Amino acid sequence: VQLQASGGGLVQAGDSLRLSCAASGGTFSNRRMGWFRQAPGKERELVARITPGGITYYADSVKGRFTIARDNAKSTVLLQMNSLKPEDTAVYSCAVAIAFSNQWQYWGRGTQVTVSS
């Protein structure tokens, strides 16, 4: 399984970014998909996740600003990030869970998101 994330960059506070993650090497329509982030000196945290049926979860820190979506036909998961804040600065990685499970199994290489004030 390979997960390839893209879309990171350097933006100013209040700007938007859209992250995309393409999954390959398996079947993903029956797996949870999600986005994690890790800032320097901090633990990795779950930002958002989406079930095969489209049920979403967001961390409180991003609720109302970030939107996760998936395209099962293309095996992709997206993260639309609006109203970005400096505290959103981190390396963002996508992940997939074991089929029919909530246990995360694979993480892709991250993409850097830097938000300047």
Side-chain angles (χ1 to χ4, degrees):
V1 171
Q2 290 190 331
L3 302 171
Q4 182 64 51
S6 61
L10 171 63
V11 297
Q12 294 186 333
D15 286 350
S16 298
L17 274 177
R18 184 187 187 198
L19 304 184
S20 177
C21 177
S24 61
T27 300
F28 303 98
S29 58
N30 56 5
R31 297 172 181 253
R32 288 188 177 194
M33 302 183 81
W35 288 94
F36 288 76
R37 70 184 180 186
Q38 187 166 22
K42 295 187 177 181
E43 293 187 356
R44 181 173 60 191
E45 64 170 339
L46 176 64
V47 175
R49 67 166 186 253
I50 185 166
T51 68
I55 298 173
T56 57
Y57 160 86
Y58 297 95
D60 287 343
S61 58
V62 307
K63 203 171 294 183
R65 300 187 297 121
F66 290 11
T67 302
I68 189 171
R70 65 189 292 162
D71 184 334
N72 287 332
K74 296 181 180 180
S75 297
T76 59
V77 59
L78 307 173
L79 186 67
Q80 177 67 41
M81 306 185 294
N82 298 329
S83 303
L84 283 162
K85 304 176 181 180
E87 51 263 43
D88 294 320
T89 295
V91 175
Y92 286 70
S93 303
C94 57
V96 295
I98 296 172
F100 308 109
S101 168
N102 59 4
Q103 182 176 345
W104 298 103
Q105 184 175 23
Y106 298 107
W107 280 264
R109 287 188 178 181
T111 184
Q112 177 71 46
V113 172
T114 303
V115 185
S116 63
S117 58

